[in-house]
Amino acid sequence: MKKVFIAIVLVSSLFAACKETGKSNESEKNITEKGEQAEKVKAPTTSAICLLDKLSIRETPSSKGKWITSMSLGEKVAFTGEEITDSKSKKQYYKVKLTDGKEGWTRATFLAVNGKVGAMLESANVYKRPDLLTKTEKKYSVMDIIAVTENQGDWMKVKGKRAEGEYVEEGWIKSSNITNDEIDIATAKFASSAIKKSTMTERIKALQEVIGNPDLSSSKFVSIIEGKIKDYELRNKEIDVKDVKVEEEPKS
């Protein structure tokens, strides 16, 4: 009888221990799941600025990946933190998320992570460092769109493609030369595209459309664009006059 009693006590103790262990494991599981969820919520969203118009976003980190959509120069996107370097091309790719929810991979070279978009108010000298003694021969032009990546006093480190440059570059400029107004940035973007049209007539028409857009009417660049239109119209007349003179010349 004594042995039976001892056996019953042992089984009861074992059952209780197993039950407690089960609760403990379940509790640990819940804590882990909550911890993971909290970590995901706490993870900050890193912003990035697109530095090239019509920059492609693809399903995979490769130039041969399926095309999803493209980004606009100056557009702000979310950088997910995922990055891959193509083993063959050695090109680095970042995974980004657009404001409409689309996600994909794009070239890291043409993004400014943690940057703030801006546009040049006037022509500005580029410096190697925030020091007047480090001036370079390079300049940013009026309405060039850039990303500000660092501030130091009245200096700003910027990244972007200059109108007269071929590649995305970095350098320091005086902060007074930059506007971060979204209307100014949009106006600069569309005006820059218009100026690249092949003929004077096309440029004039495209620029007139920019300043004719009521959403952009308050931009600081309107007067500059109006000046460019007058310049192009004058140059167009000069070309017409030359053509007329050539036609009037008597044949020998």
Side-chain angles (χ1 to χ4, degrees):
M1 186 69 181
K2 187 176 180 181
K3 291 181 179 179
V4 173
F5 176 75
I6 293 172
I8 291 172
V9 170
L10 289 172
V11 171
S12 298
S13 300
L14 183 62
F15 177 76
C18 290
K19 188 174 181 181
E20 194 64 32
T21 301
K23 286 182 179 179
S24 177
N25 290 339
E26 186 66 28
S27 178
E28 288 177 3
K29 182 180 178 182
N30 289 338
I31 290 172
T32 302
E33 288 178 351
K34 288 179 181 178
E36 289 176 351
Q37 289 174 359
E39 187 177 349
K40 288 179 182 178
V41 171
K42 288 179 181 178
T45 300
T46 306
S47 64
I49 302 300
C50 176
L51 301 174
L52 186 69
D53 202 28
K54 298 179 181 179
L55 181 61
S56 295
I57 294 181
R58 301 181 183 277
E59 282 190 354
T60 55
S62 168
S63 59
K64 295 182 180 179
K66 184 180 178 182
W67 187 85
I68 297 174
T69 186
S70 63
M71 292 181 284
S72 170
L73 171 63
E75 184 175 355
K76 184 179 180 180
V77 299
F79 171 45
T80 66
E82 297 178 71
E83 53 183 277
I84 290 178
T85 300
D86 189 296
S87 59
K88 293 182 179 179
S89 67
K90 304 302 179 183
K91 293 176 180 177
Q92 189 177 24
Y93 290 84
Y94 285 166
K95 190 172 185 181
V96 298
K97 184 175 182 180
L98 305 186
T99 52
D100 62 2
K102 289 187 176 70
E103 291 187 25
W105 296 87
T106 191
R107 289 284 307 281
T109 301
F110 304 112
L111 288 180
V113 177
N114 285 324
K116 294 183 179 180
V117 66
M120 302 305 302
L121 284 169
E122 54 189 39
S123 178
N125 293 316
V126 179
Y127 296 80
K128 291 180 181 179
R129 291 174 290 280
D131 188 319
L132 291 172
L133 297 175
T134 64
K135 178 180 171 296
T136 70
E137 298 301 315
K138 299 176 181 178
K139 284 188 176 184
Y140 276 102
S141 303
V142 178
M143 293 191 288
D144 277 352
I145 293 177
I146 47 81
V148 177
T149 59
E150 192 177 335
N151 292 277
Q152 195 172 127
D154 60 348
W155 292 90
M156 285 185 172
K157 188 176 185 180
V158 300
K159 183 178 181 180
K161 183 180 177 299
R162 296 179 298 113
E164 298 177 356
E166 296 182 6
Y167 310 101
V168 170
E169 303 169 292
E170 287 186 294
W172 292 84
I173 62 174
K174 286 289 188 175
S175 57
S176 58
N177 294 314
I178 299 174
T179 172
N180 58 8
D181 184 279
E182 61 178 5
I183 294 177
D184 289 336
I185 293 164
T187 303
K189 191 260 181 178
F190 294 124
S192 296
S193 297
I195 292 169
K196 293 176 183 176
K197 297 290 184 182
S198 57
T199 67
M200 294 291 180
T201 302
E202 290 175 326
R203 293 175 192 176
I204 292 169
K205 182 180 178 181
L207 287 173
Q208 286 174 334
E209 289 176 357
V210 173
I211 61 175
N213 184 342
D215 294 332
L216 306 177
S217 60
S218 63
S219 173
K220 301 178 185 69
F221 296 125
V222 170
S223 60
I224 294 174
I225 295 172
E226 289 174 339
K228 283 188 175 294
I229 291 174
K230 290 179 179 179
D231 178 55
Y232 289 147
E233 288 176 336
L234 180 62
R235 290 160 68 179
N236 242 358
K237 289 179 180 179
E238 290 175 351
I239 292 172
D240 291 339
V241 170
K242 287 180 181 179
D243 289 340
V244 170
K245 287 182 177 180
V246 169
E247 290 178 2
E248 291 178 347
E249 287 179 1
K251 294 181 181 180
S252 55

